[in-house]
Amino acid sequence: MRISRHLAGLMLGISMIVGMPAAAAELVINADASEPSLRKSWEGIVDQFRKENPGIDVKLNVYDRESYKRSIRNWLTAQSPDVVFWYAGTRMRQFSKPGLLEDVSAIYTPQAKAEFGPVATELMSDQGKQYGVPHSYYQWGFFYRKDLFQKAGITEAPKTWSDLVSACEKLKAAGIEPITIGSKDLWPTAGWFDYINLRTNGLKFHQELMSGSVPYTDDRVKAVFAKWKELLDKGCFMKNHASMSWQDSQAPLYQGKAAMMLMGNFITGNFPANVADNMDFFRFPEINPGVGRAEDAPMDALLVPAKAKNKEDAKKFLAFVMRPDVQTTLAAGTRQIPVNQKASVPDDRFLKAGQQLLSSADGLAQFFDRDTSEELATVGMKGFQEFMANPDRLDRVLEDLERTRKRVYAN
Amino acid sequence: MSSSATPSLPVVTARPESWWHRHQASITPLLLLLPALAAFSLFVLWPIASSLWLSLHDWDGISERRFIGFDNYRELFDDRVFWTSIVNNIWWLLAFMLAPALGLAIALFLNQSVFGIRLVKSLFFFPFVISQVVVGLVFAWFYNPQYGLLNEVLRAFGIEGISPLDSETGATFAVIVAGLWPQIAYCMILYLAGLAAMNPEVIEAARMDGAKGWRLFWHAVLPQLRPATFIAVVVSVIGALRSFDLVAIMTAGGPYSSSTVLAYYMYEQTFLSVRYGYGAAVAAVLFLIMNVYIAFFLWRMLRREQA
Amino acid sequence: MADVRLNNVRKRFGDVEIIKGIDLAVEHGQFCVFVGPSGCGKSTLLRLIAGLEKVSDGQVTIGGADMTHVAPANRGTAMVFQSYALYPHMTVAENISFGLRMANTPKAEVEQRVKHAADMLQLGHLLNRKPSQLSGGQRQRVAIGRAIVRNPQVFLFDEPLSNLDASLRVQMRIEIGKLHQDLGTTMIYVTHDQVEAMTLADRIVVLNAGRIEQVGSPLELYHRPKNLFVARFIGSPTMNTLPVQRTGGDGDGMRFTLPGGAPIVLPTREDGVTLGVRPEHLSLGTGEDATLQGQVRLTERLGSETMLYVDLGSDVEVVVRADGLSSVRAGDTVPIGVSRRSCHLFDSQGAAVINGALL
Amino acid sequence: MFPTPIQDRSRAAQAFYRASLIPALVVWLLPLVAIAFTSIRSIDELNQGRFWTWPEETRFVENYTAVFTQSPMGQFLVNSVLITVPAVALSIALSAMAGYALAKYRFRGSLVLFAIFIAGNFVPFQILMIPVRDLFVNVVPLYDTILALVLFHMAFQTGFCTLFMRNFIKQIPDALIEAARVEGVSELRIFWHVVLPLVRPAMAALAVLVFTFVWNDFFWALVLVQSDEVRPVTAGLQALRGTWTSAWQLISAGAIIAALPPVALFFLMQRHFIAGLTLGATKG
């Protein structure tokens, strides 16, 4: 392989000529915000940072979410930028544990900790140290068509599981698909699992399950699927969901063919003008009154790779993003809820509802595919999809999950 | 040839030779091969070896690689999705064997000389030229239960709401059909070339012997098309085993991995489940399967070379 | 002065030995032709001289200099290929001058040499054409022109006429002969056509299975073949060979029995098993030394002569060259006269015992 | 020659044959026809679920301009060109050299080398994915650059191109090369002045063919790059599908735009293209 090494050397030379970022004062930020509105907001934030720090040459690279996920490991182990966008909680700790992240505890002043509150601070912490800054989060819940609910004779948004079931029955009777879902991307199914589990078994059990310390064959897990099956048996979900992406699955909602959808708040940006006024939000109904109310609220964060070249300016940027005024601006642009509690929530009824929902919650989960290992998440979400199509295969699905759990969390 | 006197010109004489002069005939081929070989070694040969080695490891892309011997392969053996991929790859292979047959049928249909036939032929070839991304897009749309043409047509027969990409039994075949479309076009072109290069005397002789229709086709035409058939089968096998684009675009292996193939499953294991070693093991299996065909092709080529 | 000498030259391709130890001297100015059946190694031998193949063993000298390991270009040779080897993308002039241009020869000299060659070969009006616009004969001339411009010490021709039709072949054969006369250069010429060999050569080398069977002038080979192979190879139609049996001594010679039982006395004391006699040396009618009897199976009337295929019985057939107006017809039984002056005798190994007394 | 020329058939058969060509073509290309129609439909028509009828009003200009103004499609196209053209040129250059060496020089291992190129060309390229990506991330830091795709395609296509060039050069008479050798032309000059001019048609055929291979690549575009600034049109289009959820008129127009360059090239260079593709399909 001597030849190939020579060629590699040659190409290294070429690549240097072509030009890789090298200048010391440059701050490279890799972001997973390619949706136009997100991109625009972040570009605005970066511009503002540039103005405040004229000495720093900021470079913002924007990638789409899926390819970003494929690359994050590369960036943490080689070709590291100075700041990466990522997720809070388990997904962050996955990288802080092997020492791939820079400890940024220094920018967590007592004041900052107070502004962010214990929940957010804890999500950014690993063994008492902070490894990043959260910039925003959003709530999950039902987005529904008021007009269709009315048409089906549903006067009030469902508060309990039985309300939901009866709403489903009424909608079906009125010739309306009760719930739309697109499971081609798999993760929309996980929202259902998360919520039924949170409402049935509570946050603590959910976290134990996510961290691999409870077997998936546990009866409490089976109870979740039993609830889920009630809706399936009644035909509450759109058919053909396996061939629809989550984007595709919105269409029936806007066309007036389907009445509701369990989704993150980011969907509100897609509401077409002609139906926006008819859209509304309600939180996932109560199932087991005994358990506290926890919500799925995926939190996005900025981290500094341990191999970053310009950690100084990176931390400066993180501190900048922590500021209430910056988080306010950001939230307005991205239509998300700022994490800094001193920042103001954009004037948007869904976000206001979201903030109210989350601030009064007994706890937050990050979402199935962020709370557990990637491998388990992949197997699990495929399993949920399979279960939705064939509820009778539940045992096999759970066996697969359990086998994976055993391997992943073996050591 | 005039017999004019030869003007005196310097005579070519033996010159002393430099080292380069004496050895250029043996060095030149090496020199010419070097760039291609270097590029090929770096980006093809070494990665194959590296992948095979990686398949004996457990690696998540960040922590240390852990050597685990054949554990990945042992796990594959118990992996339902892996077997689904194998079965689906076999379906792809079998179905793709239709491509040479259908390609030949279309080639025969178009092998006439009427006005504009050249344009028709090249239009028939279109599906092969366009990207699989576009093909996948078009077919995903074709199958769409709400507004796809398939359902428009079926509705005319009173069948409603068929959604092939949703169904664990139908998805693979729906994707295969999309894959066949360009593949048939490819085979068609191969056969059109084969038909054009046919020795007309053999056909004439067969006609003189009274062969007609099927018998003529079977005994005089098909044997002459053997080279085209060989290539058509080889490219179809490769196309079937490499199939990734359409699966990724149309179903992403779903629903619940029922339409996945080895090529896609390795991608999924690597990037979604972040199991590099396991993904490499899936790729290695695909590589081993493909090696059967590569060996067959090489054997045939080299035999021809020796003849 | 450029003579070509081969000392024990061998060539192996893998395990197969194609040239099995050849010693040969081609003197300066000689026109030497290699003939032999296909696969005998004659083209390989030529390519060894040109340097296109490397000898496995032995030595090649040209003009006294050892060329065994010298590159083809530096041996002072020029080669005309069977396929002409013209570059389809170059004009005639470019083809002819290619080698010179690649050697950075001054432009004026290139032009002069091309003009000279073109004049010699009457190609002047074709210089700007591409090979595809030329006839076969013209292409052949261009190929020769390419050799001429290099002013070589030795010309090598590899079956140069085999791609031409019959009448052109005769014409070009004559032109090549004239070229040799004009230039006086050493030429080595490979062919499987014995007419070319006979008409062009000063010396013919008969090759068989990688070995030289015989070297000599055309008439020598014709009249004094050293063995059955050469005897059969040279001459058309081929020499008649008849099995004979020695029956005893007779004065200075030996008595042999011909097919049919007729005796003939040949001037030798040695044994032989095959009698060779060329068709033109057999005559219809009773012979002075012996007479054969046979039935005419087939007549080939060529106008100037008639070939009679005569069955002597017991699976022996001879060809007799008779007069063009001969009245003999198939089915006739005819006597055939044999003169011992024209008889060759070969022993059981095929080596010639006697070669008659014509030359 | 086969089947029986239609001209020898009855008038009715001829008419039927001619008449059947167009419907056959339409059915065969139906998906493409539909996508072309959709690309000029108005969004209203699509919202009414009219996908398969004749478009009522054509929005050709609007839709196609929208593709370029509302998405980085223009950038994707430029990227595709920047990736494809050098990759094609380089792989053809490398393979012409290698093909010549393998076809016209006898040396030990030449057949083995040839076999390696052929085998490499058939390898399921998924097996290369992790190491090649790793190489561009860790060894030669070119991940997410156009150069990474250029280099990889260059190397990978070299396998197929070498197979092709070697077989083509093999058909060139040895005498043409030997004649030059006897005339003292150096080996490299023989390659340049004799061999290259003779293989020009093969290179043209190969260029067109490899152009479509590289242009249409999706897998490596997914694996080796991710920014819009370097993404080729295939991966770009797939990414846009997420953004343009039900804007089928835009997706269709994008698809048409992505398909256009190879289709145009195919039409312009049809003879070469088919010659390249069918190499070996007519003899052997």
Side-chain angles (χ1 to χ4, degrees), chain A residues 3-4 7 11 70 73 95 100 184 240 242-243 374-375 378 382 385-386 389-390 393 396 400 407, chain B residues 38 42 46 60 62 75 80 145 163 165-166 168 249-250 255-257 267-268 271-275:
Chain A
I3 302 166
S4 56
L7 194 73
M11 286 192 296
R70 290 199 297 268
R73 282 172 169 71
F95 295 140
L100 295 170
K184 187 179 172 188
N240 307 327
S243 64
E374 276 110 338
E375 193 192 339
T378 311
K382 274 196 244 171
Q385 192 191 36
E386 184 160 9
N390 308 83
R393 292 194 200 153
R396 204 170 77 184
D400 280 350
R407 196 190 45 252
Chain B
L42 183 62
W46 172 78
D60 63 359
I62 44 175
E75 194 187 331
R80 255 197 311 138
S163 179
L165 295 181
D166 264 321
E168 67 178 72
I249 286 155
M250 293 176 69
Y256 38 90
S257 290
Y267 178 86
E268 185 184 273
F271 288 131
L272 266 58
S273 296
V274 206
R275 301 184 68 195

Side-chain angles (χ1 to χ4, degrees), chain D residues 153-164:
Chain D
H153 284 308
M154 171 199 80
F156 190 73
Q157 294 299 339
T158 295
F160 172 74
C161 294
T162 302
L163 163 67
F164 183 104

Side-chain angles (χ1 to χ4, degrees), chain A residues 142 144-179 236 258-260 278 280 282 285:
Chain A
F142 280 100
Y144 73 106
R145 287 278 294 252
K146 280 187 287 190
D147 53 339
L148 296 183
F149 268 46
Q150 260 168 6
K151 204 169 125 194
I154 306 161
T155 47
E156 215 180 345
K159 283 206 170 58
T160 63
W161 184 255
S162 56
D163 290 348
L164 185 68
V165 174
S166 80
C168 163
E169 284 164 345
K170 283 180 186 156
L171 287 162
K172 278 213 81 112
I176 299 164
E177 294 277 3
I179 301 164
C236 297
M260 55 186 149
N278 278 322
D280 210 343
F282 66 89

Side-chain angles (χ1 to χ4, degrees), chain D residues 186-243:
Chain D
S186 74
E187 298 295 319
L188 290 176
R189 280 184 154 197
I190 292 176
F191 175 66
W192 187 257
H193 290 281
V194 176
V195 177
L196 276 188
L198 291 175
V199 299
R200 226 176 271 158
M203 301 207 309
L206 211 47
V208 187
L209 195 59
V210 175
F211 182 95
T212 53
F213 290 167
V214 177
W215 183 279
N216 289 336
D217 162 69
F218 174 61
F219 184 77
W220 293 100
L222 216 54
V223 172
L224 293 183
V225 300
Q226 56 178 346
S227 328
D228 281 352
E229 287 75 22
V230 290
R231 242 187 201 153
V233 79
T234 44
L237 189 63
Q238 171 68 0
L240 283 180
R241 247 178 106 191
T243 321

Side-chain angles (χ1 to χ4, degrees), chain B residues 1-4, chain C residues 117-122 141 144 148 171-180 182:
Chain B
M1 247 174 270
S2 80
S3 54
S4 68
Chain C
D119 286 349
M120 269 184 90
L121 299 165
Q122 294 149 20
R141 274 172 227 256
I144 294 173
I148 288 177
Q171 191 195 333
M172 284 307 297
R173 198 173 75 206
I174 295 166
E175 292 193 16
I176 290 174
K178 262 184 96 193
L179 184 74
H180 181 235
D182 292 346

Side-chain angles (χ1 to χ4, degrees), chain C residues 80-248:
Chain C
V80 176
F81 290 82
Q82 179 177 14
S83 60
Y84 319 139
L86 300 184
Y87 304 124
H89 57 284
M90 298 183 195
T91 64
V92 168
E94 286 166 345
N95 262 292
I96 293 178
S97 62
F98 181 60
L100 297 176
R101 286 187 286 128
M102 290 294 113
N104 296 324
T105 314
K107 222 177 165 190
E109 190 187 331
V110 171
E111 274 170 27
Q112 187 203 354
R113 287 200 190 198
V114 170
K115 186 171 180 304
H116 168 66
D119 286 349
M120 269 184 90
L121 299 165
Q122 294 149 20
L123 288 171
H125 60 298
L126 300 174
L127 284 176
N128 292 320
R129 299 228 183 133
K130 290 270 174 73
S132 57
Q133 301 165 296
L134 302 180
S135 71
Q138 289 167 333
R139 284 182 209 179
Q140 178 65 73
R141 274 172 227 256
V142 177
I144 294 173
R146 274 176 66 177
I148 288 177
V149 289
R150 303 196 61 229
N151 230 355
Q153 295 178 303
V154 180
F155 275 92
L156 305 173
F157 291 91
D158 187 7
E159 309 212 21
L161 306 183
S162 58
N163 285 347
L164 299 176
D165 59 43
S167 64
L168 257 174
R169 206 181 296 178
V170 174
Q171 191 195 333
M172 284 307 297
R173 198 173 75 206
I174 295 166
E175 292 193 16
I176 290 174
K178 262 184 96 193
L179 184 74
H180 181 235
Q181 274 179 13
D182 292 346
L183 297 173
T185 326
T186 312
M187 292 190 176
I188 300 176
Y189 188 108
V190 165
T191 182
H192 61 266
D193 181 327
Q194 48 162 312
V195 180
E196 280 174 33
M198 297 296 284
T199 51
L200 287 170
D202 298 324
R203 261 153 67 85
I204 295 178
V205 177
V206 181
L207 287 159
N208 182 31
R211 289 184 218 281
I212 294 181
E213 293 285 349
Q214 192 172 354
V215 181
S217 71
L219 286 185
E220 237 172 75
L221 292 184
Y222 192 78
H223 291 293
R224 308 199 66 80
K226 272 189 184 161
N227 54 39
L228 256 178
F229 179 81
V230 177
R232 280 187 181 136
F233 191 77
I234 302 285
S236 172
T238 212
M239 180 186 279
N240 294 305
T241 50
L242 309 167
V244 292
Q245 238 169 7
R246 190 175 61 162
T247 49

Side-chain angles (χ1 to χ4, degrees), chain A residues 39-285:
Chain A
R39 187 184 187 123
K40 214 168 142 247
S41 321
W42 277 104
E43 280 166 355
I45 297 293
V46 166
D47 270 342
Q48 192 189 333
F49 181 73
R50 276 195 195 106
K51 265 180 218 131
E52 291 181 20
N53 301 275
I56 304 172
D57 178 15
V58 191
K59 187 167 187 288
L60 178 69
N61 301 312
V62 182
Y63 307 96
D64 78 84
R65 211 167 266 260
E66 292 311 310
S67 37
Y68 193 94
K69 283 190 212 160
R70 290 199 297 268
S71 303
I72 182 74
R73 282 172 169 71
N74 300 338
W75 290 328
L76 296 180
T77 54
Q79 291 188 33
S80 297
D82 302 310
V83 177
V84 292
F85 280 45
W86 198 233
Y87 314 136
T90 308
R91 278 286 169 277
M92 181 203 76
R93 285 180 204 121
Q94 176 181 23
F95 295 140
S96 59
K97 281 207 167 51
L100 295 170
L101 299 179
E102 178 76 5
D103 175 5
V104 296
S105 307
I107 56 177
Y108 275 82
T109 58
Q111 187 206 349
K113 278 186 182 165
E115 283 175 9
F116 277 78
V119 175
T121 309
E122 171 53 26
L123 278 167
M124 298 315 300
S125 304
D126 184 11
Q127 311 214 317
K129 288 174 181 164
Q130 285 77 46
Y131 288 93
V133 166
H135 56 78
S136 59
Y137 62 153
Y138 54 86
Q139 86 279 17
W140 269 66
F142 280 100
F143 295 89
Y144 73 106
R145 287 278 294 252
K146 280 187 287 190
D147 53 339
L148 296 183
F149 268 46
Q150 260 168 6
K151 204 169 125 194
I154 306 161
T155 47
E156 215 180 345
K159 283 206 170 58
T160 63
W161 184 255
S162 56
D163 290 348
L164 185 68
V165 174
S166 80
C168 163
E169 284 164 345
K170 283 180 186 156
L171 287 162
K172 278 213 81 112
I176 299 164
E177 294 277 3
I179 301 164
T180 177
I181 181 170
S183 67
K184 187 179 172 188
D185 309 316
L186 300 179
W187 56 261
T189 58
W192 282 89
F193 177 80
D194 274 1
Y195 266 111
I196 303 177
N197 192 29
L198 287 170
R199 294 285 183 272
T200 312
N201 298 313
L203 180 63
K204 191 163 168 294
F205 175 79
H206 185 71
Q207 279 167 343
E208 283 168 7
L209 187 67
M210 292 299 103
S211 60
S213 40
V214 183
Y216 271 87
T217 43
D218 192 291
D219 279 343
R220 288 168 289 182
V221 179
K222 287 184 179 159
V224 173
F225 287 97
K227 277 283 172 214
W228 199 344
K229 193 163 178 289
E230 287 175 23
L231 294 181
L232 288 169
D233 287 346
K234 291 196 159 32
C236 297
F237 293 98
M238 284 272 290
K239 280 198 299 176
N240 307 327
H241 55 81
S243 64
M244 283 191 286
S245 67
W246 82 269
Q247 288 105 331
D248 295 336
S249 65
Q250 299 168 75
L253 196 62
Y254 307 146
Q255 288 161 1
K257 288 182 189 156
M260 55 186 149
M261 187 174 189
L262 178 65
M263 197 32 76
N265 187 67
F266 48 82
I267 192 181
T268 57
N270 295 349
F271 292 161
N274 58 332
V275 294
D277 287 344
N278 278 322
M279 299 303 304
D280 210 343
F281 173 82
F282 66 89
R283 71 182 185 215
F284 199 94

Side-chain angles (χ1 to χ4, degrees), chain A residues 248, chain B residues 137 147, chain D residues 38-39 43 46-47 51 63 67 70 240-254:
Chain A
D248 295 336
Chain B
L137 237 127
Y147 41 73
Chain D
T38 305
S39 74
I43 184 76
L46 294 177
N47 283 344
F51 281 85
N63 289 353
V67 168
Q70 294 177 21
L240 283 180
R241 247 178 106 191
T243 321
W244 287 337
T245 307
S246 33
W248 275 103
Q249 81 284 12
L250 296 186
I251 295 176
S252 306

